[in-house]
């Protein structure tokens, strides 16, 4: 079957019983103060990007609904989080690290029991392939375990006293307060938990608002949250951001904003906080990561990595390569091979074997991408690959645009989808100027083999972006590496260890090294009277 036929018949298939959603998942439950309550108000209907055929053509499939909560319900959740923290005097922030770890271990066990249900809902709601949905779940579990190990190592280092200049001291990390945690739709489980889990383990309490898409799976975890953590430590809020997130920020009672989304929304939320100087922000925002293919690059390697970088999960990743600069001497061969490799990608539904291209979850996304193509074509670009830009309802077949220039919207707008602009260049001033002038500064990929040329680019670009990838795609992992960005791309740094630091602050207990103070501290330590001032060692 050719590409055109595959696109036309993408929704004309039977659904395997293993992956079917027989009845809509109408979620009315939400977690607040250790209690799973029933929402009696309006619901938001959730439609899958997977369509089904009707007499009038293919239409999105209804797969469930979620609470459309209002301001008063959101504020109630916040009040319980504030009460659970209680100015740092609550049960959770005062627990020993070892006891918080046990709570997280219990949660992880319960979470793993829901793997099949969560994976299936990820496929249906955001169109992620079965293999990628499994990877997202498994990687999240691995992240939790790695975080727990990092906490143990951090506690080991802190479980000793230091004597400097006649001062006895012990330095540990303390929680910051109440965290508003909001994740992205493209990795609604993994990316959300890379902020939620370290926030919790460091002793903060959380108000958790799921992403705009990829929400239904949260229902599978409510009992695990309820049974694993003290009341009020985790509270869930659903609804439109303007109706719930804005009012939460306006109270001034949110101490930390953990948000992964657009810089526009982040700016709005930060401005709503009455004391922005007190607000700690951990933000993963926009990106327009370039790939730079030099004249001495390995063509096959460059094509392979740019393809993975641009089209993994349909290009719906902040770390995706979203614009490719190719030296003019290689451009024709690069475009030819790139188009050939795109043609090998299998379009289909998420559970189909070997599928690589799936429907898009954002309403109106195919129309937006089509507008970008029209704009680029009107200014001199062309779609170079077969069937590029073909639309079937929620499905958009990848399109390669060439030659792209600064007048086109696709040159600067983050498309967040399977649309790949290619810019020819004769000298490095073209991609260099682009990166310097860009509002974004997350990552870049350099493809080349000349040590001097690559070294020069590394020295230039490490002062513009936060990660330079050599002969490989842009990416987040491994989770032990720092993940951040410059300019409008991020605020704060995430990795297994960095996340523990950004959700906490160093606190110090100090005393002059006198006999009286030594006796006092020794008594506190021997009789284990303090959770903070302690030399206990977690095994």
């Amino acid at each position: 079957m050719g590409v055109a036929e595959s696109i036309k018949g993408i929704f004309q298939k039977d659904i395997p019983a293993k992956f079917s959603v027989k009845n809509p998942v109408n979620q009315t439950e939400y977690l607040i103060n250790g209690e799973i309550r029933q929402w009696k108000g309006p619901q938001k209907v959730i439609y899958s990007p997977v369509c089904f055929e009707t007499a009038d053509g293919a239409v999105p499939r209804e797969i469930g609904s979620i609470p459309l909560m209002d301001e008063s319900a959101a504020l109630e959740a916040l009040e319980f989080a504030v009460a659970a923290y209680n100015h740092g005097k609550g049960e959770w922030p005062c627990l020993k690290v070892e006891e918080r770890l046990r709570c997280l271990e219990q949660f992880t066990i319960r979470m793993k029991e829901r793997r099949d249900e969560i994976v299936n809902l990820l496929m249906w709601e955001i169109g992620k392939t079965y293999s990628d949905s499994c990877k997202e779940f498994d990687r999240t579990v691995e992240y939790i375990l790695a975080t727990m190990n990092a906490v143990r190592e951090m506690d080991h280092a802190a479980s000793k006293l230091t004597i400097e200049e006649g001062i006895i001291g012990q330095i540990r990390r303390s929680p910051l307060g109440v965290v508003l945690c909001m994740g992205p739709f493209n990795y609604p489980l993994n990316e959300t938990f890379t902020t939620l889990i370290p926030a919790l383990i460091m002793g903060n309490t959380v108000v958790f608002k799921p992403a705009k898409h990829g929400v239904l799976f949260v229902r599978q975890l409510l009992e695990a949250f309820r049974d694993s953590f003290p009341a009020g430590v985790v509270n869930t809020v659903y609804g439109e951001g303007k109706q719930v997130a804005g009012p939460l920020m306006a109270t001034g009672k949110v101490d930390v904003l953990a948000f992964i989304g657009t810089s526009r929304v982040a700016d709005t939320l930060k401005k709503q906080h009455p004391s922005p100087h007190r607000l700690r922000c951990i933000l993963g925002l926009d990106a327009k990561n370039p790939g730079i293919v030099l004249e001495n690059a390995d063509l096959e390697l460059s094509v392979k990595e740019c393809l993975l970088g641009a089209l993994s999960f349909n290009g719906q990743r902040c770390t995706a390569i979203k614009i490719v600069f190719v030296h003019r001497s290689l451009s024709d061969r690069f475009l030819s091979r790139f188009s050939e490799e795109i043609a090998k990608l299998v379009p289909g539904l998420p559970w189909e074997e070997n599928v690589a291209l799936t429907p898009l979850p954002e309403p109106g996304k195919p129309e937006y991408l089509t507008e970008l193509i029209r704009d680029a074509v009107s200014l001199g670009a062309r779609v170079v690959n077969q069937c590029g830009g073909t639309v079937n309802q929620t499905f958009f077949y990848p399109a390669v645009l060439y030659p792209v220039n600064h007048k086109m919207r696709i040159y600067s707008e983050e498309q967040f989808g399977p649309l790949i602009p290619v810019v020819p260049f004769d000298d490095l001033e073209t991609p260099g100027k682009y990166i310097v002038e860009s509002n974004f500064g997350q990552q870049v990929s350099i493809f080349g083999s000349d040590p001097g040329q690559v070294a020069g680019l590394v020295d230039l670009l490490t002062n513009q972006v936060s990660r330079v990838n050599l002969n490989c795609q842009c990416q987040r992992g491994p989770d032990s590496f720092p993940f951040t960005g410059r300019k409008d791309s991020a605020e704060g740094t995430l990795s297994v260890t960095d996340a523990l630091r950004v959700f906490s602050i160093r606190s110090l207990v100090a005393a002059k090294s006198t006999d009286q103070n030594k006796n006092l501290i020794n008594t506190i330590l021997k009789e284990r009277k303090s959770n903070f001032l302690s030399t206990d060692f977690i095994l």
Side-chain angles (χ1 to χ4, degrees):
M1 183 184 295
V3 172
E5 291 78 13
S6 296
I7 297 171
K8 184 177 180 181
I10 192 170
F11 299 118
Q12 299 172 358
K13 301 167 184 176
D14 294 330
I15 299 168
K18 177 182 177 181
F19 302 117
S20 65
V21 177
K22 296 179 181 178
N23 299 306
V25 182
N26 293 315
Q27 178 182 336
T28 57
E29 303 88 347
Y30 66 105
L31 177 64
I32 184 169
N33 196 35
E35 177 187 356
I36 295 178
R37 296 185 183 178
Q38 297 292 325
W39 175 250
K40 305 297 184 181
Q43 295 281 112
K44 177 183 178 181
V45 177
I46 303 295
Y47 293 96
S48 172
V50 176
C51 301
F52 67 98
E53 293 292 337
T54 69
D56 300 321
V59 296
R61 184 185 298 259
E62 180 180 337
I63 56 172
S65 64
I66 58 171
L68 202 56
M69 296 171 69
D70 55 20
E71 179 177 334
S72 62
L75 293 177
E76 184 183 21
L78 176 61
E79 288 303 323
F80 280 118
V82 170
Y85 189 71
N86 190 21
H87 306 288
K89 297 181 293 183
E91 177 186 359
W92 184 247
C94 289
L95 274 182
K96 291 183 178 181
V97 174
E98 186 174 11
E99 293 171 329
R100 291 204 294 261
L101 284 170
R102 280 198 289 267
C103 292
L104 193 55
E105 286 173 351
Q106 180 182 349
F107 172 79
T108 307
I109 292 170
R110 295 285 299 276
M111 174 180 166
K112 289 164 70 174
E113 295 171 355
R114 312 304 296 177
R115 182 180 187 271
D116 290 346
E117 293 88 347
I118 291 173
V119 165
N120 202 43
L121 288 169
L122 287 175
M123 286 193 297
W124 275 98
E125 195 171 353
I126 63 172
K128 184 166 287 189
T129 66
Y130 176 69
S131 62
D132 283 348
S133 296
C134 290
K135 288 176 185 176
E136 178 167 355
F137 185 94
D138 295 339
R139 184 181 176 187
T140 304
V141 172
E142 291 169 4
Y143 180 88
I144 296 174
L145 298 177
T147 298
M148 293 168 64
N149 287 333
V151 169
R152 292 186 181 96
E153 292 177 5
M154 184 179 289
D155 190 74
H156 293 169
S159 61
K160 62 181 180 179
L161 300 180
T162 300
I163 302 178
E164 294 284 347
E165 300 180 12
I167 301 293
I168 303 171
Q170 184 169 48
I171 304 169
R172 291 185 180 274
R173 302 201 73 89
S174 300
L176 296 170
V178 177
V179 179
L180 174 57
C181 183
M182 302 170 64
F185 81 84
N186 56 337
Y187 290 89
L189 175 64
N190 182 258
E191 291 281 359
T192 302
F193 274 41
T194 59
T195 59
L196 178 65
I197 295 302
L200 287 172
I201 199 62
M202 296 311 292
N204 303 284
T205 60
V206 172
V207 176
F208 166 34
K209 182 188 177 302
K212 60 181 179 179
H213 309 294
V215 186
L216 292 174
F217 80 87
V218 177
R219 175 62 188 87
Q220 303 297 320
L221 298 175
L222 292 186
E223 283 89 353
F225 278 125
R226 179 196 62 191
D227 298 340
S228 302
F229 300 99
V233 172
V234 180
N235 307 274
T236 59
V237 171
Y238 302 87
E240 300 297 332
K242 291 181 180 179
Q243 299 299 318
V244 295
L248 292 177
M249 295 297 292
T251 65
K253 296 180 180 180
V254 172
D255 300 298
V256 185
L257 173 62
F259 173 77
I260 301 176
T262 68
S263 57
R264 176 185 58 81
V265 173
D267 289 345
T268 299
L269 290 171
K270 289 173 69 173
K271 290 175 182 176
Q272 290 173 308
H273 197 286
S275 303
H277 61 283
R278 291 178 52 190
L279 179 69
R280 179 78 64 91
C281 293
I282 297 93
L283 309 174
L285 306 173
D286 318 290
K288 185 80 171 177
N289 297 330
I292 303 174
V293 182
L294 304 172
E295 65 268 31
N296 48 57
D298 181 320
L299 180 63
E300 292 304 312
L301 175 65
S302 303
V303 167
K304 174 187 174 183
E305 291 294 324
C306 285
L307 190 78
L308 288 170
L311 292 179
S312 292
F313 190 36
N314 303 309
Q316 298 168 121
R317 301 179 301 125
C318 64
T319 57
I321 292 178
K322 298 191 177 80
I323 187 167
V324 184
F325 291 84
V326 181
H327 194 272
R328 200 177 300 274
S329 64
L330 281 180
S331 59
D332 288 344
R333 286 183 290 158
F334 179 89
L335 291 168
S336 176
R337 288 290 299 117
F338 198 72
S339 298
E340 289 172 3
E341 291 303 310
I342 288 178
K344 295 178 183 178
L345 299 177
V346 179
L349 302 182
W351 43 81
E352 293 184 76
E353 189 174 356
N354 299 321
V355 69
L357 305 170
T358 55
L360 307 179
E362 291 184 279
K365 191 71 176 193
E367 292 79 5
Y368 167 71
L369 297 173
T370 300
E371 288 176 10
L372 292 179
I373 291 177
R374 291 196 189 106
D375 173 75
V377 170
S378 71
L379 294 169
R382 68 182 188 279
V383 178
V384 301
N385 62 310
Q386 180 188 6
C387 297
T390 301
V391 175
N392 181 359
Q393 298 298 323
T394 55
F395 183 83
F396 182 95
Y397 190 74
V400 181
L401 287 168
Y402 179 87
V404 167
N405 61 55
H406 70 281
K407 298 178 182 179
M408 303 170 187
R409 291 171 57 190
I410 189 61
Y411 186 81
S412 56
E413 290 185 28
E414 183 187 14
Q415 65 273 34
F416 215 78
L419 185 56
I420 307 100
V422 180
V423 182
F425 71 91
D426 297 301
D427 57 65
L428 289 175
E429 182 180 351
T430 300
K433 185 172 183 289
Y434 177 87
I435 294 170
V436 168
E437 295 179 352
S438 174
N439 291 327
F440 313 121
Q442 190 196 80
Q443 298 189 32
V444 64
S445 288
I446 302 171
F447 299 93
S449 59
D450 184 298
Q453 191 179 39
V454 171
L457 278 173
V458 166
D459 290 347
L460 169 67
L461 298 180
T462 48
N463 291 334
Q464 297 297 324
V465 301
S466 292
R467 175 166 170 162
V468 176
N469 303 278
L470 303 181
N471 292 312
C472 63
Q473 63 170 310
C474 298
Q475 56 194 306
R476 172 168 178 158
D479 287 324
S480 57
F481 283 8
F483 180 59
T484 185
R486 297 172 182 262
K487 306 177 187 178
D488 289 342
S489 286
E491 184 174 337
T493 301
L494 292 175
S495 72
V496 170
T497 53
D498 286 315
L500 298 175
R501 296 188 185 102
V502 297
F503 285 103
S504 62
I505 190 169
R506 297 177 84 194
S507 294
L508 167 68
V509 174
K512 288 185 177 180
S513 184
T514 64
D515 289 341
Q516 182 181 12
N517 284 336
K518 288 178 182 178
N519 290 333
L520 174 65
I521 293 171
N522 277 327
T523 300
I524 292 173
L525 295 176
K526 288 178 181 179
E527 297 182 9
R528 290 182 168 83
K529 290 182 175 295
S530 170
N531 288 345
F532 184 98
L533 190 58
S534 169
T535 54
D536 287 350
F537 197 84
I538 300 176
L539 297 177

